[in-house]
Amino acid sequence: MKKLILLFMIVISSFAFGAKKLYVGTNAEFKPYEYLEGNELVGFDIEFMEAVAKEMGYEVHWVNMGFDGLLPALQMKKVDAVIAGMGQTPERKKAVEFSIPYMSDLKGEHYVIVNENSPITKKEQLTGQKVGVQIGTVQEEFTLAIGGIPQLYNAWTGALMDLQQNKIAGVIIADVSAKAYLKNMTGLKKVDVVIDNQPGASIAFRKGEVELAKSATDAILKLQNNGVYLELLKKYFPEKVEEFLASQKTKETK
């Protein structure tokens, strides 16, 4: 009898442990949001999501995949949430629930990068030209808006390597990631910026899971107020710290 009770308790404990798992999809190709160091997932989003999930009462189980597969995986219940520096475009908002943006008060800029020998000096000159972007990202929309021809890549590295070899005319990529790549890749230069007017990076959940998205929002607000968010910002986005602190003061005076 004792053995049966013990077995029952183990089964119940295992079920409860499994129920607290939150399977989170990401794409480790977007430094410093999320990237790989050896086989380890690191970056702002990784540490921030761990903190958010802890506040929500969950333990994160990470699933790394291609960016264009993240929302389909969410919709097919292969993951429970997605965090990948993902902005709230109108099209995405039709398909999923979003938390509040965790970069909402920070200006979104995207660098226009060209080969160092290119005569291009502004984004308008990319009209009719091939522009490298990662599949499924907002940069594809930016490229179309300026009349460019999107060349789709699974990862930013491939696009930038082709740019080094003059196989494409330019690449449009988020500023923080662009800085990291420009620091480590030769033969490239920034010539212009595209301003992103969409709400900033947010955590995505399946359509209809409003309570889960609200729980994440509450956790984000708490982390922004208790100093955890600020410490992560200092670690990964030091250039954005002043802007964040200014936005917090503005909130306090409203």
Side-chain angles (χ1 to χ4, degrees), residues 88-140:
Q88 293 189 33
T89 66
E91 198 63 30
R92 288 172 184 162
K93 289 173 75 173
K94 293 176 185 176
V96 299
E97 303 289 347
F98 278 111
S99 68
I100 60 165
Y102 54 87
M103 289 285 186
S104 59
D105 295 308
L106 309 182
K107 183 172 63 176
E109 288 188 350
H110 301 260
Y111 283 10
V112 178
I113 298 175
V114 299
N115 188 284
E116 64 179 1
N117 298 316
S118 173
I120 292 172
T121 59
K122 55 185 179 180
K123 57 182 176 286
E124 287 79 10
Q125 290 174 279
L126 288 173
T127 299
Q129 303 270 16
K130 294 179 180 179
V131 179
V133 295
Q134 189 178 39
I135 299 172
T137 61
V138 293
Q139 286 84 6
E140 183 177 350

Side-chain angles (χ1 to χ4, degrees), residues 11-237:
V11 170
I12 292 297
S13 296
S14 299
F15 177 78
F17 179 75
K20 298 304 289 183
K21 285 276 189 180
L22 190 71
Y23 287 81
V24 182
T26 193
N27 172 238
E29 292 279 353
F30 197 35
K31 192 174 183 177
Y33 283 91
E34 48 271 317
Y35 57 103
L36 290 172
E37 282 189 352
N39 294 320
E40 184 183 2
L41 276 171
V42 294
F44 180 90
D45 280 356
I46 305 304
E47 292 194 48
F48 186 63
M49 188 66 212
E50 294 277 358
V52 168
K54 185 177 180 180
E55 291 293 336
M56 295 170 67
Y58 288 93
E59 179 183 343
V60 175
H61 181 90
W62 290 101
V63 183
N64 185 25
M65 65 182 76
F67 188 88
D68 61 320
L70 287 170
L71 294 189
L74 182 62
Q75 293 168 324
M76 292 186 288
K77 299 186 177 181
K78 293 183 178 179
V79 295
D80 304 309
V82 164
I83 186 168
M86 182 178 287
Q88 293 189 33
T89 66
E91 198 63 30
R92 288 172 184 162
K93 289 173 75 173
K94 293 176 185 176
V96 299
E97 303 289 347
F98 278 111
S99 68
I100 60 165
Y102 54 87
M103 289 285 186
S104 59
D105 295 308
L106 309 182
K107 183 172 63 176
E109 288 188 350
H110 301 260
Y111 283 10
V112 178
I113 298 175
V114 299
N115 188 284
E116 64 179 1
N117 298 316
S118 173
I120 292 172
T121 59
K122 55 185 179 180
K123 57 182 176 286
E124 287 79 10
Q125 290 174 279
L126 288 173
T127 299
Q129 303 270 16
K130 294 179 180 179
V131 179
V133 295
Q134 189 178 39
I135 299 172
T137 61
V138 293
Q139 286 84 6
E140 183 177 350
E141 297 175 22
F142 298 154
T143 299
L144 292 170
I146 61 175
I149 304 169
Q151 300 299 295
L152 306 180
Y153 293 83
N154 289 323
W156 290 110
T157 305
L160 292 163
M161 288 177 67
D162 274 3
L163 184 58
Q164 284 178 316
Q165 299 173 39
N166 282 313
K167 293 181 179 179
I168 54 179
V171 165
I172 299 177
I173 179 174
D175 59 350
V176 288
S177 293
K179 290 173 185 175
Y181 280 114
L182 288 172
K183 185 177 179 180
N184 296 297
M185 297 182 75
T186 60
L188 304 174
K189 63 181 180 181
K190 167 200 167 189
V191 294
D192 205 348
V193 297
V194 175
I195 302 299
D196 186 0
N197 294 315
Q198 300 290 347
S202 305
I203 305 170
F205 298 91
R206 270 186 295 281
K207 198 68 177 176
E209 293 189 344
V210 178
E211 288 304 313
L212 201 57
K214 182 182 182 301
S215 179
T217 289
D218 292 341
I220 290 168
L221 291 171
K222 182 175 180 179
L223 295 171
Q224 288 181 336
N225 290 327
N226 68 9
V228 173
Y229 179 87
L230 179 59
E231 289 306 307
L232 289 176
L233 209 61
K234 289 177 180 177
K235 180 178 180 179
Y236 292 103
F237 301 104

